[in-house]
Amino acid sequence: MSETYTLYNPTVMDHFMNPRNMGDIKDADGVGEVGAAACGDIMKISIRIKDGKIADARFKTFGCGSAIASSSMATELIKGRTVEEAMNFTNQEVVSALGGLPPVKIHCSVLAEEALKAALEDYMKRHPEAAAEARQTEAVPA
Amino acid sequence: MSETYTLYNPTVMDHFMNPRNMGDIKDADGVGEVGAAACGDIMKISIRIKDGKIADARFKTFGCGSAIASSSMATELIKGRTVEEAMNFTNQEVVSALGGLPPVKIHCSVLAEEALKAALEDYMKRHPEAAAEARQTEAVPA
Amino acid sequence: MRNVYLDHQAATPLLPEVFDAMKPYFTEHYGNASSLHQHGLRVRDALKKARQQTAALIHAESEEEIFFTSDGTESSNLAIKGVAYANERKGKHLVVTATEHPSVMNSVEFLEKQGWTCTRIPVTPEGLINPADVAAAITPQTVLVAVHHVNHDIGAIQPVAEVGRLCAEKGVPLYVDCEASAGWLPIDVREFGASLVSFSPHRFYGPKGVGILYRNKRARLVSILHGGVQEGGRRAGTENIPAIVGAGVAAEIAQRELPARMAHTAHLQQRLWDGLRTHIEFIKLNGPVPGPRRISTNLNLSTEFIEGEGQLLLCDLNGIAVASGSSCVSKSLKISHVLAAIGLDHALAQGNLILTLGMANTEEDIDYVIETFAKIVAKLRNMSPMWEEFESGEIDSVIAPRGIGKSFSQHAAEVSGKAAH
Amino acid sequence: MRNVYLDHQAATPLLPEVFDAMKPYFTEHYGNASSLHQHGLRVRDALKKARQQTAALIHAESEEEIFFTSDGTESSNLAIKGVAYANERKGKHLVVTATEHPSVMNSVEFLEKQGWTCTRIPVTPEGLINPADVAAAITPQTVLVAVHHVNHDIGAIQPVAEVGRLCAEKGVPLYVDCEASAGWLPIDVREFGASLVSFSPHRFYGPKGVGILYRNKRARLVSILHGGVQEGGRRAGTENIPAIVGAGVAAEIAQRELPARMAHTAHLQQRLWDGLRTHIEFIKLNGPVPGPRRISTNLNLSTEFIEGEGQLLLCDLNGIAVASGSSCVSKSLKISHVLAAIGLDHALAQGNLILTLGMANTEEDIDYVIETFAKIVAKLRNMSPMWEEFESGEIDSVIAPRGIGKSFSQHAAEVSGKAAH
Ligand SMILES: Cc1ncc(COP(=O)(O)O)c(C=O)c1O
Ligand SMILES: Cc1ncc(COP(=O)(O)O)c(C=O)c1O
């Protein structure tokens, strides 16, 4: 075919076809797995923390194209951020970085946010000292 | 156009385009004018009687193609018949002779029958002796 | 024999450019717009483009206000019933012009059987409504006002913008049926103050099988054909892509050619009417005179003492294609309800003929029609008992009364034993 | 890249012969069938011919039993609402299969809001109804039974002739939606005992923009789109002549080619299913096995541990056009109601893919699909947390349970905090 038509924009398609950070982290510092009640998609994000920063993030996703692209983009965006910064991460960043998602697919980016937060919470549960610090830092601007 | 499409069959079209017996009879022996309450068509038939037979019949019609064709055909059919025979004339004869009419147009043939009967009645009103004879003949088969 | 097509209100030929645009969507780009693969996504793009093109023709703000249906009738039904059902809780009263198309009138009648009520706004003998009558008819229960732009039978242009202002004041949505005007007159939904507008491309050199309903986002509308979620959930069913593509292109061409179309047909309209009234006695134009209150494509005539179907058939046998509002051409044996609403004498309604012009018509065509029609009238009058009775002074003319004899209607009632209508 | 179109349930290309037959009706024979002149009479003839051709495909007694609508959705709406409104005084109860197309289900829901009641007949895990259930559901108030011929999603062939006999005994008309079977399976309205049957040519190489509703003369039916007196007063609106002409020709060709179509697709269906289940683990066929209870064009698959939209997109990127009943492809985020009705596990419904075969598909196509799809599954499973958790023994397979770990649904409910459906 001369022209190719795509359901999602080129950025989303790229992240769907060539997902970044797909996989698991062996002995991860935090793992979050969440499911979307609406459609049944499931997303799992694992993170490695080094010096209070996200050194690595990986995902596995059972879900549609935009769910896969959202988790790919979320893991990409989050690498290098501090735990505190990561706690303020929102799905809007994913949507913007992807150049937009169809309205009915916004919930996929929410799922990515939730999976990341779940991973961070898991990390903090395992590392109460980090959690305390994060909460403290968080409290300042509030 | 290579092919000609017609609303009515060729016989009806022929009688519409080239109506037979169109006009009036000067000093007619009977004239009948009737109207269709349903659609507003008006038909007038005048007859000349000679030796108890219809020697001539003419029509004028304000109405659609099938009304014109029906009156043309009715006047054509009736010529040469006795007054008694003519009194038994029905619209079915017109329909058959025309090779059929669309269902919604059957009332046009009824109008032709009515116009003819009105002309015959007019004749009989003017010629009570003929009326008596006609009634007598009519009574026999009844 | 010359062929003159004067029935553009019934159908128009597809423009070659429109056909060319449609062609690939039959055998090549045949996908279903609901499909998520190449074949579906491609036609989805085509659908969006057609939405933009048709939105532009009526100056809609956004293409998302355009819904594709199957024809003008479905659009009317959706506008009337879709708004009525959506606002059931608010009220069950409608206001419509007495001369709306049957697709509006019969939708309203259907709702009346289901408990709605409706006020029908009368028209003047020229076929025009008085906007004040609409305002007066609106009650707190009124959920929709329907006033068509141009009448399909008599070409009268209704004062829709004025009605729109009054409706806006009262907060009632206005539906304007533009089936008889789109492609031939400018339409601006915002200037009209219309919440809903319908039209069909088959009236302006586009394809059959598609209708358009514009709906302003603020107007509530529910679906009347239920099923899938096509057309934003307001019209279920597999989209007729080739026809929709054709609708878009036909709209684009119409917009570009509008001034030329209006000038061409207005010129021929004047020539035709002048020629006919010069050569034929006892002929009447129904609806407003050619000018700002009449669409330039339409002439609605009543020729006295002869009936319309006969005129139509003889025209056809002479290569001239026309329509008629006579009861004899209707399956229900009723004259057009529009002719009844303007109070036209039954005899004149029976002698009705509708001529609608298009771009292919020429001055020569018009002159041929004038000449031929004069002969047809003479032939039919020669056959007509009414003409004879008029000439003998037994009945009088409605068009140009001489004050001699009874009226045609009176005569007709006498011979039929019943009043005509 | 090879292009394999496996979405014939969504759309089919127009056959060149059909297009050729339609062509003159766009620019040349463009008349309106209601017109009484040459242009109208010509297309009226064409309309009659198409009526005969479509009547023949379903073995209707007379072409007068054929009504042209705009699509399958409108035909369903007309069958359901047109019969319901016509029999309002007799009763307000309907009986329908739980797996009817949304155009039937949503028409019924609309009527339920207006006071009708409806019994939905459940289906077996294979998707088949038990005719006795229909008979048991009929009450003296029942005015219509609706049982489709073939299911649009899972290809199950319902025992309609048996239902027809039971309906005849009870004197209740039967409506059979044949949209998913016409052109691919023999249809005999008399053998079915059907009072109403609908189908659309766009499913068998005919045009979009036209649907057919057969109605036996004894069944009462009123119009749902109101307006003019087209289609015997049962469907108002300007007829889409080119599409109707195309419908006729497509029906004629379908009738002629039916045996070849069935043989060709049955062969490919078997090859495809055999290939897929040989090369892919944890894959399930929904609906009856290929054979007398399944239409030869359809394969409805659930591939475990991966989701359908992703499968569909990767197929498309590899030139393979397919559909899916996964919630992710639906605008309402719901899985196909058919998959819900057969009681399919939500995880399997999410992994759904629908492949529908046509005449252009070849053995090479099928082999390419098998090979490609196996790679796609591997790629997506590699990305799927569920596959990982299955492999680690945390969750179990629904298709081939090992008795280790919790169920997918249980797991999904835990991580989402809510049961899936
Ligand atoms: C003013 C008007 N509205 C609606 C319609 C119905 O449109 P369609 O024939 O496309 O169904 C017509 C058709 O004649 C019309 O003239
Ligand atoms: C079984 C069935 N009935 C009805 C319809 C509706 O038909 P259409 O899309 O032509 O409106 C479909 C369409 O998918 C169908 O599969």
Side-chain angles (χ1 to χ4, degrees), chain B residues 1 3-7, chain D residues 36 38 41-42 44-45:
Chain B
M1 246 170 282
E3 215 172 328
T4 303
Y5 294 84
T6 53
L7 183 58
Chain D
L36 300 185
Q38 295 305 299
L41 299 172
R42 177 191 286 271
R44 207 178 277 199
D45 270 17

Side-chain angles (χ1 to χ4, degrees), chain A residues 10-134:
Chain A
T11 312
V12 178
M13 288 307 286
D14 179 39
H15 276 263
F16 166 64
M17 290 186 289
N18 313 298
R20 330 289 199 260
N21 316 310
M22 202 280 292
D24 293 289
I25 298 176
K26 265 214 153 90
D27 307 316
D29 294 315
V31 178
E33 186 173 0
V34 295
C39 65
D41 283 358
I42 291 174
M43 216 179 268
K44 185 174 159 189
I45 288 184
S46 35
I47 49 175
R48 168 167 338 278
I49 309 288
K50 210 168 175 180
D51 304 330
K53 281 189 178 166
I54 299 183
D56 200 5
R58 298 277 164 107
F59 81 91
K60 280 213 165 174
T61 293
F62 168 92
C64 63
S66 69
I68 290 171
S70 291
S71 40
S72 166
M73 182 56 91
T75 50
E76 195 70 352
L77 287 170
I78 213 69
K79 280 197 283 186
R81 300 202 186 172
T82 64
V83 172
E84 297 79 58
E85 283 166 353
M87 284 306 290
N88 291 319
F89 184 82
T90 74
N91 75 304
Q92 260 317 314
E93 261 196 80
V94 175
V95 175
S96 308
L98 286 173
L101 282 175
V104 74
K105 295 295 188 181
I106 296 294
H107 75 277
C108 297
S109 65
V110 173
L111 203 62
E113 178 192 326
E114 289 174 353
L116 175 69
K117 301 259 166 98
L120 288 167
E121 266 158 38
D122 181 46
Y123 164 69
M124 292 193 283
K125 220 186 303 167
R126 300 198 217 166
H127 301 268
E129 74 296 347
E133 202 180 314

Side-chain angles (χ1 to χ4, degrees), chain A residues 1 3-7, chain C residues 36 38 41-42 44-45:
Chain A
M1 248 170 280
E3 215 173 330
T4 302
Y5 295 83
T6 54
L7 183 58
Chain C
L36 299 186
Q38 295 306 298
L41 299 172
R42 177 191 286 271
R44 208 179 275 201
D45 270 17

Side-chain angles (χ1 to χ4, degrees), chain C residues 9 71-73 76 101 103 152 177 179-180 200 202-203, chain D residues 237-238:
Chain C
Q9 161 70 10
D71 56 16
T73 295
S76 297
H101 185 263
S103 55
H152 57 285
D177 176 354
E179 176 100 356
S200 299
H202 68 78
R203 286 306 182 65
Chain D
T238 296

Side-chain angles (χ1 to χ4, degrees), chain D residues 324-342:
Chain D
S324 166
S326 146
S327 70
C328 291
V329 304
S330 109
K331 287 178 194 159
S332 58
L333 293 179
K334 283 204 186 106
I335 59 162
S336 147
H337 76 283
V338 175
L339 300 183
I342 60 171

Side-chain angles (χ1 to χ4, degrees), chain B residues 74-96:
Chain B
T75 49
E76 196 69 353
L77 287 171
I78 213 70
K79 279 196 286 185
R81 299 203 185 172
T82 64
V83 173
E84 297 80 61
E85 283 165 353
M87 284 306 289
N88 291 320
F89 184 81
T90 75
N91 75 304
Q92 261 317 316
E93 260 196 82
V94 175
V95 175
S96 309

